[in-house]
């Protein structure tokens, strides 16, 4: 579909091609429902392939599936290769513009698909896509009858939640997954600090971690530490109960596997870090095919890192911090000014700290309706999620054994009971919305 | 208050000074309510002086009054004198940007005014300001607990209502106000057409209508006809039951006064038009101080005509048409393409016909709450208004004897019963919202 590059102004009148995927084999042509995936920061095919829940329920709900790609990701680039060239071209990369894209796409599909005119549409998304699903229902309730917002940290903004909870959840996941595990990681930072103070130590670290490009400076060592932190975070996000390939191919309960290497926190620096290497090597090289580890890459290339970096530098300012006590990380305060400087030098723009609160209401969302907020107890992003019911129709579903939007994944024989119950609840509520919409016509 | 010029993008990081007026003499400092006027297309002082209802109820509600000026009007010019210079500078003149200005201003006032932190805020507006009030509640329900949208034609867009109703209401006002009145006006168009076919006729028209600049061409005659049409429309809008000065100083029930000159539709062209002059002269020269009539001006200079012209050329596309049968005007079809061309040559932008529907939901607004839509039966804008209840909390108030947002004007001994009842209803609902908000804290 051709969508306006700028929905909110009239000076830029260009359009761009927005990609979307449709699966209608189970759709009941007489105004059967549409499940609409509000694409997030990546290639829509990848989300399509990692949202098995929608495929699993399509037949039961007689639903059409639509997966809409978020502007500036995948193939939906407003200015082609120029899209990321400067702040002028990036100016239209916002959640507000993306939501209008979705609204216009739904209207277009309903207007042009025979039998879809009165189809109730339900927004579904995970992570940032879950925030978009919730916000879509909040801002365009005439377009979607409800939303399933899975692992959507809509409160990880401003001062709505403590900045430290996120990393303490990550740490707890490791603490619970093996004796000595989180302690080993906590001790690893100083071990790296010691070693990175000499050239020989940097060399040793580069070799031990099988790095693709060797560490040369203290700053490189900081990059290594950041990369390790992100790796632990990612492991917490994909700590699924079965073998899976989301951010990386991994075994079942990957943190337990990783923790098998991290039983003794009292080892000497080098022995400890050799174990840490074994642990991260399991994350990056489970297939055994990775020749070396690249500290500039933590997840699948299907995610659009450039775009997300820009978004985190503008609207998506999510305060995070560590103290090394309630978590296993090096203490780091939340520093908005540093972020602002970094963003300005990187993109020529400055983040707006409270914008998302002004736009989407922060915690004052009780006047909205028909939104399911699901969160996994193992998922660090649940720190900023809605984990208690707000009203009869703003419902929180908590999945204690779930990692990042486990409920959106395909059914699996190894699924814990809690995610099965969550999905049943979600399907029940979606049926209610569909039924109600049918009666209003 | 300094507000972002562009709330929806990060490349333009400039700010501008937004004007707002505050009256807090009746405000109860312990979280008493705030009545917030969502300023429309004009100088905010003028709206402040013409919204007596808010002043009348301030004491009863212990309310603070805030009147917020709309960007690009009055003194709230984002780029000073350059604001209207081209489509680049005009790019931030949209209802969406204005609503964010309002949201940010409310948040600012609540954060900086002692005792206002939990003050419930009610949006109030008339006409375009009424649309803004309704949309404000729809899009920012976390900012305002409810809205009074007076004479807000939120459905005068797309194909939501017939394009002809507007002018047929105007015509009915004249029809009911004196025998021969609407017929006289209907016949006047051909009379003008006859006379404007010769230079002598144009001269005669210029003299007869006391025009400041004489008509020279057939196109000038079209301008005259347009100006007359707008005058009849304006008279319908301000057909108040008492002497008032809104768009112009006028007597009570001005259409009745005007119609006293228009009793005989069968007169010859010249006699008929001499009467038409008497009629419009009453509108433009009730004070007797107007030296000549200016066909480029129909209403008070407090309205920002430039800004509104741009808005009508972008978002605010309201289809209107006449057929000369159900109305007293020359037949004129609704012609979007012609408008689009005119807008492009005037401003370098093209209107987006269905944008407002996509943005604000058209007729599918039932999931919202706490909005009063009031409409006057005499007001042509009621054609696009909400005149029937949508739900328990989306309430229509109809004032059969009311013109354009009569209910927002000061109490007057000559007020018809219907407007007194309307105001009582409005106050009752506002009290309910305030009470409810108080209990939720």
């Amino acid at each position: 579909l051709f969508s306006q590059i700028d929905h909110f102004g009239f000076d830029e009148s260009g359009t761009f091609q927005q990609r979307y995927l449709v699966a209608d084999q189970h759709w009941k042509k007489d105004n059967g429902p549409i499940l609409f995936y509000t694409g997030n920061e990546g290639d829509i095919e990848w989300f399509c392939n990692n949202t098995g829940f929608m495929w699993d329920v399509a037949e039961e709900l007689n639903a059409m599936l639509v997966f809409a790609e978020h502007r500036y990701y995948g193939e939906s680039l407003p200015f082609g290769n120029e899209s990321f060239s400067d702040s002028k071209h990036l100016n239209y990369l916002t959640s507000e513009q993306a939501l209008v894209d979705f609204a216009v796409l739904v209207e277009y599909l309903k207007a042009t698909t025979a039998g879809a005119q009165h189809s109730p549409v339900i927004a579904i998304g995970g992570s940032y896509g879950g925030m978009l699903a919730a916000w879509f229902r909040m801002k365009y309730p005439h377009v979607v009858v409800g939303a399933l917002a899975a692992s959507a940290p809509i409160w990880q903004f401003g001062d709505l939640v403590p900045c430290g909870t996120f990393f303490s959840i990550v740490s707890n996941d490791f603490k619970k997954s093996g004796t000595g595990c989180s302690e080993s990681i906590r001790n690893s930072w100083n071990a790296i600090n010691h070693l990175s103070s000499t050239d020989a130590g940097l060399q040793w670290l580069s070799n031990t971690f099988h790095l693709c490009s060797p560490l040369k400076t203290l700053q490189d060592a900081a990059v290594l530490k950041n990369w390790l932190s992100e790796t632990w975070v990612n492991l917490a996000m994909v700590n699924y109960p079965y073998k899976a390939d989301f951010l990386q191919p991994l075994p079942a309960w990957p943190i337990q596997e990783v923790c098998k290497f991290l039983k003794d926190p009292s080892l000497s620096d080098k022995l400890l870090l050799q174990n840490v290497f074994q642990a991260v090597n399991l994350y990056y090289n489970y297939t055994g095919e990775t020749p070396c580890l690249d500290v500039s890459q933590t997840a699948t290339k299907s995610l659009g890192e450039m775009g997300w970096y820009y978004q985190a530098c503008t609207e998506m300012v999510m305060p995070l911090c560590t103290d090394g006590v309630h978590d296993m990380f090096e203490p780091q305060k939340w520093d908005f000014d540093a972020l602002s400087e970094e963003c300005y030098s990187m993109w020529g723009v400055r983040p707006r700290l409270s914008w998302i609160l002004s736009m989407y209401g922060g915690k004052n969302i009780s006047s909205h309706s028909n939104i399911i907020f699901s969160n996994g107890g193992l998922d660090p992003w649940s720190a900023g999620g809605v984990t208690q019911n707000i009203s009869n129709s703003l419902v929180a579903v908590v999945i204690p054994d779930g990692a990042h939007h486990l409920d959106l994944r395909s059914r699996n024989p190894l699924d814990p009971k809690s995610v099965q119950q969550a999905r049943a609840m979600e399907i029940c509520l979606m049926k209610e919305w569909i039924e109600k919409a049918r009666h209003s016509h």
Side-chain angles (χ1 to χ4, degrees), chain A:
Chain A
L1 177 69
F2 283 96
S3 192
Q4 293 284 343
I5 290 175
D6 189 6
H7 294 292
F8 295 102
F10 290 75
D11 192 43
E12 165 62 71
S13 60
T15 59
F16 73 100
Q17 243 189 320
Q18 193 193 3
R19 184 162 59 142
Y20 62 96
L21 314 172
V22 175
D24 61 2
Q25 58 267 37
H26 293 299
W27 185 54
K28 208 177 102 219
K29 284 199 172 52
D30 177 23
N31 293 314
I34 296 173
L35 304 184
F36 186 94
Y37 188 87
T38 48
N40 34 322
E41 71 282 21
D43 189 294
I44 194 61
E45 289 189 33
W46 184 66
F47 292 113
C48 180
N49 292 332
N50 278 283
T51 313
F53 172 70
M54 285 171 65
W55 298 89
D56 287 344
V57 301
E59 188 169 4
E60 182 175 352
L61 299 181
N62 301 308
M64 185 194 302
L65 306 183
V66 178
F67 295 86
E69 192 160 72
H70 191 296
R71 53 169 57 203
Y72 288 85
Y73 295 99
E75 296 181 1
S76 300
L77 303 176
F79 301 100
N81 291 335
E82 300 282 284
S83 298
F84 296 92
S85 58
D86 58 29
S87 64
K88 226 167 200 51
H89 289 87
L90 278 160
N91 194 43
Y92 312 101
L93 171 49
T94 66
S95 62
E96 292 78 20
Q97 299 272 9
L99 291 179
V100 182
D101 291 339
F102 296 153
V104 170
L105 175 55
V106 169
E107 286 173 348
Y108 166 81
L109 290 171
K110 292 177 82 162
T112 57
T113 309
Q117 207 194 334
H118 300 300
S119 287
V121 182
I122 294 174
I124 299 182
S127 199
Y128 169 50
M131 299 202 262
L132 292 171
W135 294 337
F136 196 18
R137 169 65 187 168
M138 293 182 197
K139 293 295 185 185
Y140 300 88
H142 55 288
V143 178
V144 286
V145 300
L148 168 53
S151 299
I154 61 163
W155 289 346
Q156 193 68 53
F157 294 93
D159 55 359
L160 297 182
V161 298
C163 61
T165 311
F166 179 93
F167 283 103
S168 77
I169 293 173
V170 177
S171 306
N172 264 328
D173 291 348
F174 283 81
K175 200 170 171 180
K176 287 185 302 189
S177 299
T179 316
C181 194
S182 65
E183 260 325 295
S184 295
I185 293 170
R186 184 182 279 119
N187 292 346
S188 71
W189 312 114
N190 264 332
I192 295 173
N193 291 343
H194 294 151
L195 282 156
S196 56
S197 63
T198 67
D199 285 348
L202 287 166
Q203 178 79 53
W204 185 88
L205 286 169
S206 307
N207 292 340
T208 302
F209 280 92
H210 291 57
L211 299 186
C212 302
S213 1
L215 310 173
K216 299 218 164 119
T217 64
L218 215 61
Q219 217 176 333
D220 291 346
V223 171
L224 173 69
K225 287 190 289 182
N226 254 327
W227 173 77
L228 287 172
S229 292
E230 278 185 48
T231 307
W232 308 136
V233 167
N234 284 353
L235 273 161
M237 285 169 62
V238 298
N239 195 22
Y240 296 130
Y242 47 80
K243 202 168 179 266
D245 178 2
F246 183 52
L247 300 178
Q248 297 280 354
L250 288 171
W253 296 116
I255 296 186
Q256 285 184 16
E257 296 304 313
V258 156
C259 284
K260 286 178 183 164
F261 300 108
L262 301 169
K263 291 181 170 165
D264 187 355
S266 65
L267 291 173
S268 69
D269 289 350
K270 289 194 171 177
L271 289 175
L272 184 69
L273 291 174
Q274 279 169 343
N275 287 343
V276 168
F277 163 71
Q278 295 293 331
V280 296
N281 192 52
L282 185 138
Y283 178 77
Y284 289 107
N285 193 19
Y286 184 59
T287 59
E289 288 164 1
T290 312
C292 60
L293 303 193
D294 177 0
V295 295
S296 72
Q297 185 81 31
T298 57
T300 166
K301 285 190 173 137
S302 297
L303 284 170
E305 293 195 347
M306 290 272 281
W308 187 251
Y309 190 173
Y310 175 83
Q311 289 197 265
C313 270
T314 47
E315 294 189 302
M316 298 295 147
V317 192
M318 298 194 246
L320 297 175
C321 63
T322 50
D323 63 9
V325 177
H326 302 90
D327 56 65
M328 64 188 191
F329 296 90
E330 276 196 302
Q332 188 146 27
K333 287 210 173 80
W334 161 245
D335 186 345
F336 177 74
D337 294 334
L339 174 73
S340 183
E341 287 310 316
E342 179 192 328
C343 292
Y344 191 73
S345 72
M346 182 70 194
W347 302 106
V349 296
R350 292 194 183 275
R352 293 177 190 161
L353 188 53
S354 59
W355 165 244
I356 289 289
L357 306 186
S358 298
M359 190 62 199
Y360 299 115
K363 293 211 167 177
N364 302 317
I365 56 174
S366 60
S367 66
H368 299 289
S369 61
N370 295 3
I371 306 177
I372 304 166
F373 296 97
S374 67
N375 277 286
L378 307 178
D379 179 17
W381 292 110
S382 68
V386 179
T387 53
Q388 296 195 309
N389 288 357
I390 294 173
S391 70
N392 281 340
S393 74
L394 295 180
V395 177
V397 173
V398 176
I399 307 161
D401 312 309
H404 203 43
H405 49 68
L406 174 62
D407 49 335
L408 290 192
R409 300 184 60 80
S410 298
R411 280 185 201 119
N412 189 292
L414 294 172
D415 274 332
K417 194 120 209 147
S418 61
V419 76
Q420 293 171 7
Q421 289 168 337
R423 291 196 190 115
M425 171 85 151
E426 290 161 6
I427 294 168
C428 177
L429 286 166
M430 290 197 290
K431 282 183 177 171
E432 242 180 72
W433 301 337
I434 294 165
E435 215 35 56
K436 224 172 171 181
R438 182 152 302 144
H439 283 293
S440 80
H441 268 291

Short mmCIF file of all heavy atoms in Angstrom, two decimals, chain A residues 282-316:
data_model
loop_
_atom_site.label_atom_id
_atom_site.label_comp_id
_atom_site.label_asym_id
_atom_site.label_seq_id
_atom_site.Cartn_x
_atom_site.Cartn_y
_atom_site.Cartn_z
N LEU A 282 27.68 -20.33 24.09
CA LEU A 282 26.47 -21.12 23.91
C LEU A 282 25.39 -20.27 23.23
O LEU A 282 24.66 -20.74 22.36
CB LEU A 282 25.97 -21.63 25.25
CG LEU A 282 24.77 -22.57 25.17
CD1 LEU A 282 24.93 -23.73 26.12
CD2 LEU A 282 23.46 -21.84 25.44
N TYR A 283 25.33 -18.98 23.61
CA TYR A 283 24.31 -18.09 23.01
C TYR A 283 24.62 -17.79 21.54
O TYR A 283 23.75 -17.86 20.68
CB TYR A 283 24.23 -16.78 23.81
CG TYR A 283 23.25 -15.77 23.24
CD1 TYR A 283 21.88 -15.94 23.43
CD2 TYR A 283 23.69 -14.67 22.53
CE1 TYR A 283 20.97 -15.02 22.92
CE2 TYR A 283 22.77 -13.74 22.01
CZ TYR A 283 21.42 -13.93 22.21
OH TYR A 283 20.53 -13.02 21.70
N TYR A 284 25.90 -17.49 21.26
CA TYR A 284 26.22 -17.04 19.90
C TYR A 284 26.61 -18.18 18.96
O TYR A 284 26.69 -17.98 17.76
CB TYR A 284 27.37 -16.01 19.94
CG TYR A 284 26.93 -14.69 20.53
CD1 TYR A 284 27.32 -14.30 21.80
CD2 TYR A 284 26.08 -13.85 19.81
CE1 TYR A 284 26.90 -13.10 22.34
CE2 TYR A 284 25.65 -12.65 20.35
CZ TYR A 284 26.06 -12.28 21.61
OH TYR A 284 25.63 -11.09 22.14
N ASN A 285 26.85 -19.34 19.53
CA ASN A 285 27.42 -20.40 18.69
C ASN A 285 26.82 -21.75 19.01
O ASN A 285 27.52 -22.76 19.05
CB ASN A 285 28.95 -20.42 18.87
CG ASN A 285 29.63 -21.25 17.82
OD1 ASN A 285 29.04 -21.54 16.77
ND2 ASN A 285 30.85 -21.68 18.11
N TYR A 286 25.51 -21.77 19.26
CA TYR A 286 24.86 -23.03 19.62
C TYR A 286 24.94 -24.02 18.46
O TYR A 286 25.03 -25.23 18.65
CB TYR A 286 23.41 -22.78 20.01
CG TYR A 286 22.69 -24.01 20.49
CD1 TYR A 286 23.16 -24.73 21.60
CD2 TYR A 286 21.53 -24.46 19.85
CE1 TYR A 286 22.50 -25.87 22.04
CE2 TYR A 286 20.86 -25.59 20.30
CZ TYR A 286 21.36 -26.29 21.39
OH TYR A 286 20.71 -27.41 21.83
N THR A 287 24.94 -23.48 17.25
CA THR A 287 25.02 -24.33 16.05
C THR A 287 26.44 -24.81 15.81
O THR A 287 26.65 -25.71 15.02
CB THR A 287 24.58 -23.54 14.80
OG1 THR A 287 25.46 -22.40 14.67
CG2 THR A 287 23.15 -23.06 14.93
N GLY A 288 27.42 -24.17 16.46
CA GLY A 288 28.81 -24.55 16.23
C GLY A 288 29.36 -24.00 14.92
O GLY A 288 30.47 -24.36 14.52
N GLU A 289 28.62 -23.12 14.30
CA GLU A 289 29.07 -22.63 12.99
C GLU A 289 29.61 -21.21 13.02
O GLU A 289 29.95 -20.65 11.98
CB GLU A 289 27.90 -22.71 11.99
CG GLU A 289 27.57 -24.13 11.58
CD GLU A 289 26.20 -24.24 10.92
OE1 GLU A 289 25.53 -23.20 10.76
OE2 GLU A 289 25.81 -25.35 10.57
N THR A 290 29.62 -20.60 14.20
CA THR A 290 30.08 -19.21 14.29
C THR A 290 31.61 -19.19 14.42
O THR A 290 32.14 -19.70 15.40
CB THR A 290 29.46 -18.53 15.53
OG1 THR A 290 28.06 -18.81 15.55
CG2 THR A 290 29.68 -17.03 15.51
N PRO A 291 32.32 -18.63 13.43
CA PRO A 291 33.78 -18.69 13.46
C PRO A 291 34.39 -17.82 14.56
O PRO A 291 35.42 -18.17 15.14
CB PRO A 291 34.18 -18.19 12.07
CG PRO A 291 33.03 -17.39 11.58
CD PRO A 291 31.81 -17.94 12.23
N CYS A 292 33.77 -16.68 14.83
CA CYS A 292 34.29 -15.80 15.87
C CYS A 292 33.14 -14.96 16.40
O CYS A 292 32.11 -14.86 15.76
CB CYS A 292 35.40 -14.89 15.29
SG CYS A 292 34.82 -13.83 13.93
N LEU A 293 33.31 -14.38 17.56
CA LEU A 293 32.22 -13.60 18.17
C LEU A 293 32.40 -12.11 17.87
O LEU A 293 33.50 -11.58 17.95
CB LEU A 293 32.17 -13.83 19.69
CG LEU A 293 32.01 -15.29 20.13
CD1 LEU A 293 31.66 -15.37 21.62
CD2 LEU A 293 30.97 -16.04 19.31
N ASP A 294 31.29 -11.48 17.54
CA ASP A 294 31.31 -10.09 17.07
C ASP A 294 30.61 -9.21 18.11
O ASP A 294 29.40 -9.27 18.27
CB ASP A 294 30.58 -10.03 15.71
CG ASP A 294 30.47 -8.62 15.17
OD1 ASP A 294 30.95 -7.67 15.82
OD2 ASP A 294 29.91 -8.46 14.07
N VAL A 295 31.39 -8.39 18.80
CA VAL A 295 30.82 -7.59 19.89
C VAL A 295 29.92 -6.45 19.41
O VAL A 295 29.34 -5.74 20.22
CB VAL A 295 31.91 -6.98 20.81
CG1 VAL A 295 32.68 -8.07 21.55
CG2 VAL A 295 32.85 -6.08 20.03
N SER A 296 29.79 -6.31 18.09
CA SER A 296 28.88 -5.26 17.59
C SER A 296 27.49 -5.83 17.29
O SER A 296 26.61 -5.12 16.82
CB SER A 296 29.46 -4.60 16.35
OG SER A 296 29.39 -5.49 15.25
N GLN A 297 27.28 -7.10 17.57
CA GLN A 297 26.02 -7.76 17.17
C GLN A 297 25.55 -8.62 18.33
O GLN A 297 26.31 -9.42 18.86
CB GLN A 297 26.33 -8.64 15.93
CG GLN A 297 25.13 -9.30 15.29
CD GLN A 297 24.37 -8.36 14.37
OE1 GLN A 297 24.96 -7.49 13.77
NE2 GLN A 297 23.07 -8.53 14.28
N THR A 298 24.29 -8.40 18.76
CA THR A 298 23.80 -9.27 19.83
C THR A 298 22.60 -10.10 19.41
O THR A 298 22.27 -11.07 20.06
CB THR A 298 23.40 -8.46 21.08
OG1 THR A 298 22.42 -7.49 20.71
CG2 THR A 298 24.60 -7.78 21.70
N ALA A 299 21.91 -9.69 18.36
CA ALA A 299 20.68 -10.42 18.02
C ALA A 299 20.58 -10.62 16.52
O ALA A 299 21.49 -10.25 15.77
CB ALA A 299 19.46 -9.66 18.54
N THR A 300 19.50 -11.18 16.10
CA THR A 300 19.26 -11.44 14.69
C THR A 300 19.37 -10.16 13.85
O THR A 300 19.02 -9.08 14.32
CB THR A 300 17.86 -12.05 14.48
OG1 THR A 300 17.56 -11.99 13.10
CG2 THR A 300 16.81 -11.27 15.24
N LYS A 301 19.82 -10.31 12.64
CA LYS A 301 19.90 -9.16 11.74
C LYS A 301 18.53 -8.75 11.22
O LYS A 301 18.39 -7.73 10.54
CB LYS A 301 20.85 -9.47 10.58
CG LYS A 301 22.30 -9.40 11.06
CD LYS A 301 23.31 -9.45 9.93
CE LYS A 301 24.70 -9.21 10.51
NZ LYS A 301 25.72 -10.12 9.96
N SER A 302 17.49 -9.55 11.54
CA SER A 302 16.14 -9.18 11.12
C SER A 302 15.64 -7.96 11.88
O SER A 302 14.68 -7.31 11.47
CB SER A 302 15.18 -10.34 11.35
OG SER A 302 15.55 -11.44 10.55
N LEU A 303 16.26 -7.66 13.00
CA LEU A 303 15.89 -6.45 13.72
C LEU A 303 16.64 -5.26 13.11
O LEU A 303 17.81 -5.37 12.75
CB LEU A 303 16.24 -6.58 15.21
CG LEU A 303 15.29 -7.46 16.01
CD1 LEU A 303 15.83 -7.72 17.40
CD2 LEU A 303 13.91 -6.82 16.11
N GLY A 304 15.92 -4.15 13.01
CA GLY A 304 16.53 -2.98 12.38
C GLY A 304 17.23 -2.12 13.42
O GLY A 304 16.64 -1.23 14.01
N GLU A 305 18.50 -2.37 13.63
CA GLU A 305 19.20 -1.70 14.73
C GLU A 305 19.31 -0.20 14.54
O GLU A 305 19.16 0.56 15.49
CB GLU A 305 20.58 -2.32 14.92
CG GLU A 305 20.49 -3.76 15.42
CD GLU A 305 21.81 -4.27 15.97
OE1 GLU A 305 22.84 -3.60 15.74
OE2 GLU A 305 21.80 -5.33 16.61
N MET A 306 19.56 0.23 13.32
CA MET A 306 19.67 1.66 13.03
C MET A 306 18.38 2.37 13.42
O MET A 306 18.39 3.38 14.13
CB MET A 306 19.90 1.88 11.53
CG MET A 306 21.25 1.45 11.04
SD MET A 306 22.41 2.82 11.21
CE MET A 306 21.94 3.78 9.73
N GLY A 307 17.28 1.86 12.91
CA GLY A 307 15.99 2.48 13.16
C GLY A 307 15.69 2.55 14.65
O GLY A 307 15.22 3.57 15.16
N TRP A 308 15.98 1.45 15.34
CA TRP A 308 15.65 1.44 16.76
C TRP A 308 16.55 2.38 17.55
O TRP A 308 16.11 3.03 18.50
CB TRP A 308 15.72 0.03 17.34
CG TRP A 308 15.22 0.03 18.75
CD1 TRP A 308 15.94 -0.13 19.88
CD2 TRP A 308 13.87 0.30 19.17
NE1 TRP A 308 15.14 0.00 20.99
CE2 TRP A 308 13.86 0.26 20.58
CE3 TRP A 308 12.67 0.56 18.50
CZ2 TRP A 308 12.70 0.48 21.33
CZ3 TRP A 308 11.51 0.79 19.24
CH2 TRP A 308 11.53 0.74 20.63
N TYR A 309 17.79 2.47 17.14
CA TYR A 309 18.72 3.41 17.77
C TYR A 309 18.15 4.82 17.65
O TYR A 309 18.08 5.58 18.64
CB TYR A 309 20.08 3.30 17.09
CG TYR A 309 21.23 4.03 17.76
CD1 TYR A 309 22.54 3.87 17.28
CD2 TYR A 309 21.06 4.85 18.86
CE1 TYR A 309 23.62 4.52 17.87
CE2 TYR A 309 22.13 5.51 19.45
CZ TYR A 309 23.40 5.34 18.95
OH TYR A 309 24.45 6.00 19.53
N TYR A 310 17.67 5.18 16.46
CA TYR A 310 17.08 6.51 16.28
C TYR A 310 15.84 6.66 17.16
O TYR A 310 15.65 7.69 17.82
CB TYR A 310 16.72 6.74 14.81
CG TYR A 310 15.98 8.05 14.58
CD1 TYR A 310 16.67 9.25 14.44
CD2 TYR A 310 14.59 8.08 14.52
CE1 TYR A 310 15.99 10.45 14.26
CE2 TYR A 310 13.90 9.28 14.34
CZ TYR A 310 14.61 10.45 14.20
OH TYR A 310 13.94 11.63 14.03
N GLN A 311 14.99 5.67 17.19
CA GLN A 311 13.77 5.77 17.99
C GLN A 311 14.09 5.91 19.48
O GLN A 311 13.43 6.67 20.20
CB GLN A 311 12.87 4.55 17.76
CG GLN A 311 12.23 4.56 16.38
CD GLN A 311 11.04 3.61 16.28
OE1 GLN A 311 11.18 2.48 15.86
NE2 GLN A 311 9.88 4.06 16.70
N ALA A 312 15.14 5.18 19.92
CA ALA A 312 15.54 5.28 21.33
C ALA A 312 16.14 6.66 21.61
O ALA A 312 16.23 7.09 22.76
CB ALA A 312 16.54 4.19 21.67
N CYS A 313 16.55 7.34 20.55
CA CYS A 313 17.12 8.68 20.69
C CYS A 313 16.08 9.78 20.52
O CYS A 313 16.43 10.97 20.52
CB CYS A 313 18.22 8.88 19.66
SG CYS A 313 19.85 8.39 20.30
N THR A 314 14.84 9.42 20.34
CA THR A 314 13.81 10.44 20.11
C THR A 314 12.65 10.20 21.09
O THR A 314 12.58 10.83 22.14
CB THR A 314 13.35 10.41 18.64
OG1 THR A 314 13.09 9.06 18.25
CG2 THR A 314 14.41 10.99 17.73
N GLU A 315 11.75 9.28 20.73
CA GLU A 315 10.57 9.02 21.56
C GLU A 315 10.80 7.97 22.63
O GLU A 315 10.28 8.07 23.74
CB GLU A 315 9.44 8.48 20.68
CG GLU A 315 8.87 9.42 19.67
CD GLU A 315 7.62 8.82 19.05
OE1 GLU A 315 7.70 7.72 18.46
OE2 GLU A 315 6.57 9.47 19.14
N MET A 316 11.52 6.91 22.25
CA MET A 316 11.54 5.69 23.06
C MET A 316 12.63 5.74 24.13
O MET A 316 13.54 4.92 24.16
CB MET A 316 11.75 4.48 22.15
CG MET A 316 10.65 4.29 21.16
SD MET A 316 9.09 3.91 22.01
CE MET A 316 7.93 4.70 20.88
#
